[in-house]
Amino acid sequence: MFNSIEQLLSNKAIRFIAQTIFYFIVFMFLLYMYGYAEHGQGGFIYNEF
């Protein structure tokens, strides 16, 4: 089992795709957590100018 995973990750193209998918999932999770915490942008300060 681990030998087949090591063989797949030794291929540079598959490793690049796997890392890209992993970082995309992490990025989406962080965006989800940011939206869940409701830390949106504040009101526009200069709306009377």
Side-chain angles (χ1 to χ4, degrees):
M1 164 114 183
F2 290 113
N3 288 337
S4 62
I5 293 173
E6 287 177 9
Q7 287 175 351
L8 282 176
L9 291 179
S10 67
N11 187 346
K12 289 190 181 211
I14 293 177
R15 185 179 180 122
F16 175 76
I17 292 170
Q19 284 181 336
T20 303
I21 292 171
F22 173 74
Y23 287 125
F24 179 76
I25 290 171
V26 169
F27 181 69
M28 285 292 131
F29 176 73
L30 290 174
L31 284 178
Y32 172 75
M33 293 304 290
Y34 182 75
Y36 182 72
E38 296 181 9
H39 291 297
Q41 295 179 350
F44 188 61
I45 298 171
Y46 303 108
N47 49 349
E48 301 218 3
F49 285 134

XYZ file of all heavy atoms in Angstrom:
417
model
N 0.830 -1.197 0.000
C 0.000 0.000 0.000
C 0.867 1.251 0.000
O 0.685 2.123 -0.819
C -0.909 -0.043 1.222
C -1.540 1.265 1.550
S -3.286 1.193 1.321
C -3.686 2.857 1.701
N 1.803 1.338 0.940
C 2.643 2.531 1.006
C 3.612 2.601 -0.166
O 3.987 3.696 -0.582
C 3.404 2.579 2.329
C 2.511 2.863 3.502
C 2.288 1.903 4.465
C 1.874 4.085 3.621
C 1.460 2.147 5.541
C 1.042 4.348 4.691
C 0.828 3.382 5.656
N 3.996 1.438 -0.694
C 4.881 1.439 -1.853
C 4.187 2.038 -3.073
O 4.799 2.769 -3.839
C 5.373 0.023 -2.177
C 6.368 -0.464 -1.146
O 7.002 0.336 -0.465
N 6.487 -1.776 -1.018
N 2.911 1.752 -3.249
C 2.192 2.307 -4.397
C 2.011 3.810 -4.244
O 2.082 4.550 -5.227
C 0.847 1.615 -4.568
O 0.041 1.827 -3.435
N 1.787 4.281 -3.018
C 1.668 5.724 -2.781
C 3.006 6.405 -3.022
O 3.066 7.473 -3.642
C 1.146 5.995 -1.353
C -0.285 5.502 -1.208
C 1.213 7.490 -1.035
C -0.820 5.566 0.189
N 4.080 5.796 -2.585
C 5.408 6.366 -2.815
C 5.733 6.411 -4.305
O 6.336 7.367 -4.779
C 6.469 5.564 -2.072
C 6.444 5.773 -0.573
C 7.459 4.904 0.151
O 8.289 4.271 -0.516
O 7.410 4.876 1.384
N 5.317 5.402 -5.046
C 5.561 5.388 -6.482
C 4.765 6.488 -7.177
O 5.256 7.131 -8.101
C 5.205 4.025 -7.070
C 6.191 2.943 -6.722
C 5.734 1.588 -7.237
O 4.607 1.438 -7.702
N 6.608 0.600 -7.141
N 3.526 6.696 -6.743
C 2.720 7.764 -7.340
C 3.317 9.135 -7.045
O 3.370 9.999 -7.913
C 1.283 7.704 -6.825
C 0.382 6.653 -7.435
C -0.964 6.660 -6.739
C 0.214 6.880 -8.919
N 3.757 9.339 -5.795
C 4.294 10.647 -5.423
C 5.682 10.900 -5.997
O 6.144 12.034 -6.010
C 4.306 10.801 -3.901
C 2.931 10.913 -3.256
C 3.060 11.043 -1.745
C 2.156 12.088 -3.815
N 6.337 9.870 -6.473
C 7.642 10.074 -7.091
C 7.488 10.690 -8.482
O 8.415 11.312 -8.980
C 8.412 8.765 -7.170
O 7.778 7.867 -8.062
N 6.318 10.548 -9.085
C 6.036 11.181 -10.369
C 5.780 12.668 -10.114
O 4.901 13.043 -9.339
C 4.808 10.531 -11.006
C 4.562 11.029 -12.401
O 5.134 12.030 -12.832
N 3.686 10.339 -13.103
N 6.554 13.536 -10.764
C 6.483 14.968 -10.472
C 5.147 15.576 -10.863
O 4.637 16.451 -10.166
C 7.622 15.693 -11.171
C 8.959 15.393 -10.559
C 10.032 16.297 -11.104
C 11.349 15.915 -10.454
N 12.242 17.034 -10.314
N 4.555 15.125 -11.949
C 3.273 15.683 -12.385
C 2.169 15.335 -11.387
O 1.367 16.196 -11.010
C 2.920 15.160 -13.774
N 2.130 14.090 -10.943
C 1.099 13.673 -9.988
C 1.313 14.356 -8.646
O 0.361 14.777 -7.990
C 1.081 12.138 -9.860
C 0.615 11.530 -11.185
C 0.192 11.697 -8.717
C 0.619 10.039 -11.217
N 2.577 14.517 -8.248
C 2.871 15.210 -6.993
C 2.418 16.669 -7.059
O 1.829 17.189 -6.111
C 4.358 15.127 -6.689
C 4.717 15.708 -5.355
C 6.205 15.575 -5.100
N 6.527 16.138 -3.817
C 7.099 15.487 -2.843
N 7.449 14.237 -3.016
N 7.348 16.078 -1.703
N 2.643 17.328 -8.191
C 2.217 18.716 -8.373
C 0.694 18.825 -8.296
O 0.162 19.710 -7.630
C 2.721 19.244 -9.722
C 2.223 20.615 -10.045
C 2.772 21.726 -9.424
C 1.202 20.793 -10.958
C 2.305 22.994 -9.710
C 0.727 22.046 -11.250
C 1.284 23.156 -10.628
N -0.001 17.914 -8.967
C -1.469 17.937 -8.944
C -1.993 17.673 -7.534
O -2.918 18.349 -7.067
C -2.023 16.915 -9.953
C -1.702 17.373 -11.376
C -3.518 16.711 -9.776
C -1.978 16.336 -12.429
N -1.386 16.730 -6.825
C -1.822 16.417 -5.459
C -1.593 17.600 -4.525
O -2.458 17.931 -3.706
C -1.093 15.184 -4.946
N -0.447 18.251 -4.645
C -0.173 19.416 -3.802
C -1.116 20.563 -4.138
O -1.580 21.274 -3.238
C 1.274 19.869 -3.956
C 2.257 18.996 -3.239
C 3.684 19.480 -3.392
O 4.014 20.175 -4.352
N 4.535 19.108 -2.466
N -1.407 20.754 -5.423
C -2.328 21.815 -5.825
C -3.709 21.580 -5.248
O -4.339 22.501 -4.714
C -2.396 21.901 -7.355
O -1.082 22.128 -7.868
C -3.308 23.018 -7.800
N -4.187 20.352 -5.313
C -5.502 20.024 -4.746
C -5.492 20.206 -3.232
O -6.437 20.764 -2.657
C -5.906 18.588 -5.138
C -6.170 18.520 -6.639
C -7.115 18.120 -4.354
C -6.368 17.118 -7.164
N -4.419 19.794 -2.581
C -4.317 19.933 -1.130
C -4.353 21.406 -0.719
O -5.105 21.793 0.173
C -3.035 19.276 -0.626
C -2.776 19.514 0.826
C -3.520 18.867 1.795
C -1.790 20.408 1.228
C -3.295 19.092 3.141
C -1.554 20.641 2.567
C -2.304 19.980 3.531
N -3.556 22.244 -1.391
C -3.528 23.663 -1.038
C -4.843 24.351 -1.380
O -5.264 25.274 -0.686
C -2.353 24.367 -1.709
C -1.026 24.000 -1.084
C 0.009 23.496 -1.850
C -0.824 24.149 0.280
C 1.223 23.156 -1.279
C 0.373 23.804 0.866
C 1.396 23.315 0.078
O 2.589 22.970 0.654
N -5.516 23.921 -2.431
C -6.826 24.474 -2.765
C -7.836 24.147 -1.673
O -8.634 25.005 -1.283
C -7.291 23.930 -4.120
C -8.630 24.436 -4.530
C -8.781 25.725 -5.002
C -9.743 23.618 -4.451
C -10.022 26.201 -5.389
C -10.985 24.082 -4.832
C -11.125 25.379 -5.306
N -7.795 22.917 -1.168
C -8.710 22.528 -0.087
C -8.429 23.342 1.171
O -9.353 23.821 1.839
C -8.609 21.013 0.175
C -9.202 20.242 -1.003
C -9.296 20.620 1.477
C -8.965 18.753 -0.955
N -7.148 23.532 1.498
C -6.793 24.331 2.668
C -7.269 25.769 2.490
O -7.835 26.378 3.407
C -5.266 24.277 2.925
C -4.845 25.300 3.966
C -4.850 22.888 3.349
N -7.063 26.326 1.292
C -7.489 27.696 1.010
C -9.006 27.836 1.126
O -9.513 28.798 1.717
C -7.008 28.091 -0.390
C -7.365 29.490 -0.774
C -6.764 30.564 -0.152
C -8.290 29.719 -1.775
C -7.087 31.852 -0.510
C -8.617 31.007 -2.140
C -8.012 32.077 -1.498
N -9.754 26.877 0.591
C -11.213 26.922 0.686
C -11.673 26.796 2.144
O -12.628 27.459 2.562
C -11.831 25.793 -0.153
C -11.794 26.041 -1.622
S -12.895 27.389 -2.029
C -11.852 28.382 -3.036
N -10.989 25.962 2.912
C -11.337 25.824 4.328
C -11.100 27.140 5.070
O -11.923 27.553 5.893
C -10.519 24.693 4.960
C -10.747 24.537 6.427
C -11.922 24.002 6.901
C -9.777 24.947 7.346
C -12.146 23.862 8.264
C -9.996 24.816 8.700
C -11.178 24.271 9.160
N -9.994 27.808 4.772
C -9.719 29.094 5.423
C -10.744 30.148 5.029
O -11.174 30.944 5.875
C -8.303 29.564 5.078
C -7.171 28.764 5.708
C -5.831 29.244 5.178
C -7.210 28.869 7.220
N -11.140 30.172 3.765
C -12.189 31.107 3.350
C -13.510 30.802 4.047
O -14.232 31.720 4.451
C -12.380 31.058 1.836
C -11.336 31.751 0.996
C -11.661 31.570 -0.483
C -11.247 33.220 1.339
N -13.823 29.531 4.193
C -15.040 29.139 4.889
C -15.004 29.585 6.346
O -15.972 30.132 6.864
C -15.229 27.625 4.787
C -16.360 27.106 5.639
C -17.678 27.305 5.255
C -16.110 26.440 6.833
C -18.720 26.842 6.035
C -17.132 25.977 7.625
C -18.441 26.180 7.218
O -19.472 25.738 8.000
N -13.880 29.370 7.003
C -13.762 29.769 8.403
C -13.811 31.290 8.545
O -14.368 31.804 9.511
C -12.459 29.220 9.007
C -12.441 27.713 9.135
S -13.828 27.053 10.083
C -13.397 27.621 11.704
N -13.248 32.009 7.596
C -13.288 33.476 7.639
C -14.729 33.960 7.503
O -15.147 34.869 8.204
C -12.427 34.054 6.514
C -12.372 35.548 6.507
C -11.602 36.238 7.438
C -13.073 36.278 5.565
C -11.542 37.612 7.435
C -13.019 37.656 5.550
C -12.254 38.320 6.486
O -12.214 39.680 6.474
N -15.486 33.363 6.608
C -16.887 33.740 6.439
C -17.736 33.311 7.624
O -18.687 34.003 7.999
N -17.414 32.182 8.225
C -18.182 31.685 9.361
C -17.992 32.579 10.581
O -18.904 32.776 11.364
C -17.741 30.248 9.676
C -18.505 29.617 10.802
C -19.827 29.228 10.639
C -17.891 29.399 12.031
C -20.531 28.642 11.668
C -18.588 28.811 13.070
C -19.907 28.441 12.885
O -20.599 27.871 13.907
N -16.805 33.154 10.729
C -16.526 34.006 11.882
C -17.135 35.391 11.715
O -17.100 36.191 12.640
C -15.019 34.118 12.093
N -17.680 35.690 10.537
C -18.331 36.963 10.225
C -17.405 38.147 10.444
O -17.803 39.179 10.982
C -19.614 37.111 11.028
C -20.647 36.063 10.679
C -21.928 36.223 11.459
O -22.089 37.244 12.159
O -22.761 35.328 11.367
N -16.158 38.003 10.030
C -15.225 39.118 10.075
C -15.176 39.768 8.704
O -14.151 39.771 8.043
C -13.819 38.644 10.473
C -13.736 38.195 11.889
N -13.953 39.034 12.938
C -13.481 36.994 12.424
C -13.817 38.360 14.068
N -13.540 37.100 13.776
N -16.280 40.290 8.260
C -16.340 40.937 6.955
C -15.713 42.322 7.027
O -15.244 42.785 8.072
N -15.724 42.998 5.917
C -15.178 44.347 5.899
C -16.137 45.285 6.605
O -17.340 45.131 6.552
C -14.972 44.809 4.468
C -13.924 44.012 3.731
C -13.771 44.487 2.306
O -14.566 45.282 1.833
N -12.755 43.993 1.640
N -15.572 46.273 7.244
C -16.375 47.265 7.937
C -17.001 48.233 6.965
O -16.810 48.153 5.751
N -17.748 49.186 7.495
C -18.367 50.184 6.655
C -17.319 51.109 6.040
O -16.228 51.266 6.545
N -17.698 51.725 4.951
C -16.806 52.634 4.257
C -16.665 53.900 5.094
O -17.657 54.542 5.438
C -17.340 52.925 2.858
C -16.398 53.703 1.997
C -15.161 53.185 1.679
C -16.759 54.941 1.516
C -14.278 53.885 0.878
C -15.877 55.659 0.718
C -14.655 55.119 0.397
N -15.428 54.278 5.451
C -15.198 55.386 6.383
C -15.556 56.729 5.764
O -16.182 57.586 6.401
C -13.721 55.388 6.830
C -13.392 54.101 7.564
C -13.433 56.596 7.716
C -11.933 53.924 7.855
N -15.210 56.936 4.524
C -15.325 58.259 3.894
C -16.624 58.393 3.097
O -16.611 58.918 2.006
C -14.116 58.490 2.988
C -12.812 58.368 3.712
C -11.987 57.265 3.489
C -12.394 59.327 4.614
C -10.779 57.136 4.156
C -11.191 59.199 5.285
C -10.406 58.107 5.049
O -9.212 57.984 5.706
N -17.736 57.965 3.606
C -18.953 58.055 2.819
C -19.570 59.446 2.857
O -20.569 59.682 2.230
C -19.964 56.991 3.251
C -20.171 56.948 4.742
O -19.424 57.567 5.472
N -21.166 56.212 5.172
N -18.997 60.433 3.564
C -19.535 61.795 3.558
C -18.723 62.719 2.681
O -18.999 63.909 2.624
C -19.579 62.316 4.992
C -20.430 61.424 5.852
C -21.243 62.192 6.853
O -21.199 63.416 6.846
O -21.931 61.535 7.637
N -17.712 62.213 2.020
C -16.899 63.065 1.132
C -17.478 63.083 -0.251
O -18.004 62.175 -0.758
C -15.452 62.577 1.070
C -14.693 62.922 2.318
C -13.908 61.973 2.941
C -14.732 64.189 2.874
C -13.180 62.276 4.058
C -14.017 64.492 3.998
C -13.252 63.537 4.595
